[in-house]
Amino acid sequence: MNSTRRLDSFNEAFTKNFITFALGLIINCINGAFVYTYFKSEVFQQDPRYVLYIHLVVNDMIVLTVSVVLQIITYTIPLSFSTCCMLILIVVTTNKNSPLNLAGMAVERYIAVCRPLHHTQICTVQRTYALIALIWGVSLIPSITDIIILLATQPLSVFSNSVLCYPSYIYNTSYHKTHSLVVQVLLLSFVFLTLIITYLKVFCTARAVSAADQASARNACNTILLHGLQLLICMLSYVAPFINLFLATARPQDSTKIFFATYLFTNVLPRLLSPLIYGVRDKKFSSHMRLNFCCKCKNPQKKGRVMSSKNVLH
């Protein structure tokens, strides 16, 4: 989020908000098309792989929506401290959901390739929903801890003040910084290790199985590699403050433009990756999307031709 409201002119602020809103709307519409396809086809709702995928998409939509709202509010109206804390809690929690969800998707692919006979017993839809609930619980704990630290270190009167709603301004104590660093290191280390181990296991299986099964194993390897790529892009939001500090120090006259560009490339545009990496690449999902949306485009034309033919007959 851009934290430089007072340094921008009206035209600059309007341009930044318009770009953010337009990109957020376009990306959410694309993601919404994938969510619609998922709920329209029962075959996806019975597959744990797609349940985890659509949870990742919905999670990205929540992150993007709240992030864009905060960006616009920063430039328009003052926000109370307590409301800001609630919005930041949503953003921080959903941001942590993404890498954990990627780890769950990698484990599911590992079981499907390396333990195919046990896949239907281990990876059920009910257990997948339980895993999603666990992901939300694990991600929510650090966010609630930040608020507890805030309550312990700040007077209650601060919650009635108006603030510039940005995490580094709200959670600015040394306890928050230490807590954030520990959580990020533990979270990303766990997810990285999960991706590396599952990839190596699947890769070894791909070399050992027959030629008929190698294609499936290779696809699983490629999918896990894409999980790793998306995780690296997710990490950009964690290193964004350091990027801002380095670039703004080098070019202080362009600091507001640097902060805004960093925000777009680390928080907004990455939310388009989930449908591009998984939805478009997945033949089954893309075929259902074409079936749903192309048929809707053709049906009005067919109805028009039917109506015109009836008019001719009359």
Side-chain angles (χ1 to χ4, degrees):
M1 288 165 288
N2 196 340
S3 59
T4 55
R5 173 182 53 166
R6 297 179 179 85
L7 300 179
D8 292 331
S9 65
F10 174 80
N11 289 336
E12 289 176 335
F14 177 80
T15 302
K16 289 178 179 178
N17 282 324
F18 178 79
I19 291 172
T20 303
F21 177 79
L23 284 175
L25 182 62
I26 292 169
I27 293 172
N28 270 349
C29 285
I30 294 172
N31 285 336
F34 284 88
V35 175
Y36 174 81
T37 301
Y38 169 82
F39 285 105
K40 194 72 175 174
S41 307
E42 291 186 6
V43 64
F44 296 125
Q45 300 173 37
Q46 303 302 319
D47 191 331
R49 175 188 177 188
Y50 293 106
V51 173
L52 285 171
Y53 162 68
I54 214 64
H55 172 252
L56 185 65
V57 174
V58 171
N59 187 77
D60 284 347
M61 292 177 71
I62 296 172
V63 175
L64 185 58
T65 301
V66 179
S67 177
V68 169
V69 167
L70 279 177
Q71 164 76 14
I72 295 173
I73 287 176
T74 300
Y75 281 96
T76 52
I77 58 174
L79 200 64
S80 68
F81 198 97
S82 56
T83 305
C84 177
C85 285
M86 293 305 300
L87 291 174
I88 289 178
L89 182 142
I90 296 171
V91 172
V92 172
T93 301
T94 47
N95 262 320
K96 288 181 173 59
N97 280 345
S98 295
L100 290 173
N101 200 97
L102 291 172
M105 294 172 75
V107 171
E108 188 276 332
R109 286 294 84 199
Y110 157 75
I111 296 172
V113 174
C114 301
R115 300 286 187 271
L117 298 178
H118 301 90
H119 182 259
T120 54
Q121 287 81 23
I122 298 174
C123 299
T124 63
V125 174
Q126 289 76 15
R127 288 183 177 179
T128 305
Y129 285 129
L131 175 62
I132 291 172
L134 178 63
I135 288 172
W136 276 89
V138 171
S139 299
L140 195 59
I141 290 172
S143 302
I144 294 177
T145 304
D146 279 330
I147 294 178
I148 292 173
I149 294 173
L150 197 65
L151 289 170
T153 57
Q154 300 290 338
L156 291 178
S157 59
V158 75
F159 286 90
S160 60
N161 297 335
S162 297
V163 292
L164 189 64
C165 195
Y166 194 69
S168 62
Y169 289 108
I170 302 300
Y171 304 139
N172 55 5
T173 67
S174 59
Y175 301 105
H176 284 113
K177 293 175 182 177
T178 303
H179 173 257
S180 177
L181 180 62
V182 171
V183 169
Q184 288 176 18
V185 169
L186 290 176
L187 175 67
L188 296 175
S189 298
F190 167 76
V191 176
F192 261 121
L193 284 174
T194 303
L195 293 178
I196 290 170
I197 292 171
T198 52
Y199 174 78
L200 292 176
K201 292 279 189 181
V202 172
F203 180 77
C204 293
T205 302
R207 299 185 64 181
V209 297
S210 61
D213 295 327
Q214 281 184 358
S216 175
R218 277 195 295 268
N219 285 335
C221 283
N222 292 335
T223 300
I224 294 174
L225 282 176
L226 290 172
H227 292 336
L229 173 63
Q230 190 166 11
L231 179 63
L232 289 174
I233 295 173
C234 286
M235 286 180 61
L236 289 177
S237 61
Y238 297 119
V239 300
F242 303 102
I243 297 173
N244 286 335
L245 180 63
F246 175 77
L247 294 178
T249 304
R251 297 183 63 85
Q253 68 277 13
D254 297 324
S255 59
T256 60
K257 296 181 178 66
I258 290 169
F259 294 156
F260 180 67
T262 305
Y263 165 69
L264 286 183
F265 284 102
T266 61
N267 287 278
V268 177
L269 293 177
R271 307 305 163 191
L272 188 58
L273 286 176
S274 295
L276 292 180
I277 288 178
Y278 307 111
V280 175
R281 182 173 165 268
D282 191 288
K283 294 180 180 178
K284 185 177 178 181
F285 209 100
S286 58
S287 64
H288 275 76
M289 280 199 69
R290 286 194 298 269
L291 185 64
N292 285 331
F293 290 98
C294 290
C295 287
K296 287 195 171 186
C297 293
K298 291 177 181 179
N299 282 340
Q301 296 176 1
K302 288 181 179 179
K303 289 179 181 179
R305 286 197 293 269
V306 170
M307 291 298 294
S308 62
S309 63
K310 287 181 178 179
N311 291 334
V312 171
L313 290 173
H314 287 296

